[in-house]
Amino acid sequence: MFAKFRCIILLLMMLPLFFGGCTHNDGDIGDLFGRWKLVSLSADGEELPIYNNDVLLYSWDFQGDMIMIRESRLHHEVYATGGMWTRDNDMLMLKFSSSSYAPIVSALHLIDNDITPLNIETLTSSDMRLWYVSDTDGVKYRYVLRKAY
């Protein structure tokens, strides 16, 4: 009887360990945290064909000060590139190094091996709209993302 009581007490004491796990690395980053699906990308107001028979999904994952962009393809192929991000008011700066998976960065018209300065047009817990004007060609790129989770 006493052994059974000790087991119950021990299980109750361990309960906070199971439910108190950390899901946010390096603290709460607000509405950016989580996985976002790239819904559309436009260049000077014209929709760009980002999804086709090969590319099924682009997702952007934010945690801590890191961003991971994944490109999901047919036959369960997934390519990823990682970088760092910082935010200053309505500016989101993404930095991908030369060791990143460059085809994803270039396909999304982001800047490789330098900082992409994205203006935050909208950021809620479920919707994000970003834009920037490229220094190289003067094109205004606009990104629409929806929170996946």
Side-chain angles (χ1 to χ4, degrees):
M1 175 73 177
F2 184 68
K4 187 177 182 181
F5 182 70
R6 276 195 337 200
C7 273
I8 290 171
I9 295 294
L10 183 60
L11 287 173
L12 288 174
M13 289 174 50
M14 291 178 61
L15 215 55
L17 295 175
F18 294 117
F19 294 108
C22 179
T23 61
H24 294 234
N25 182 24
D26 293 334
D28 183 10
I29 60 172
D31 287 336
L32 273 176
F33 178 78
R35 178 166 291 172
W36 296 80
K37 175 187 177 184
L38 182 61
V39 176
S40 70
L41 170 59
S42 63
D44 284 337
E46 289 191 35
E47 287 291 316
L48 297 177
I50 53 174
Y51 298 124
N52 53 46
N53 292 334
D54 292 326
V55 178
L56 304 174
L57 174 69
Y58 284 106
S59 61
W60 298 22
D61 299 354
F62 291 89
Q63 184 168 353
D65 59 355
M66 299 179 68
I67 180 173
M68 176 78 63
I69 298 180
R70 289 185 174 86
E71 177 186 84
S72 300
R73 295 177 157 257
L74 283 176
H75 310 296
H76 306 288
E77 290 178 288
V78 177
Y79 299 95
T81 186
M84 306 297 285
W85 69 271
T86 58
R87 181 176 176 191
D88 186 14
N89 296 319
D90 288 338
M91 290 297 297
L92 178 64
M93 282 73 72
L94 305 182
K95 177 156 178 45
F96 299 97
S97 68
S98 59
S99 64
S100 65
Y101 187 66
I104 292 175
V105 175
S106 64
L108 298 180
H109 300 277
L110 299 168
I111 301 170
D112 190 24
N113 208 23
D114 203 354
I115 295 173
T116 305
L118 297 165
N119 294 279
I120 301 172
E121 184 177 301
T122 304
L123 176 58
T124 67
S125 61
S126 61
D127 183 60
M128 180 167 34
R129 296 169 192 266
L130 310 166
W131 64 271
Y132 87 104
V133 176
S134 172
D135 286 341
T136 57
D137 56 13
V139 173
K140 181 179 181 179
Y141 293 101
R142 188 166 185 267
Y143 304 83
V144 177
L145 298 106
R146 294 276 166 5
K147 187 73 147 288
Y149 58 85

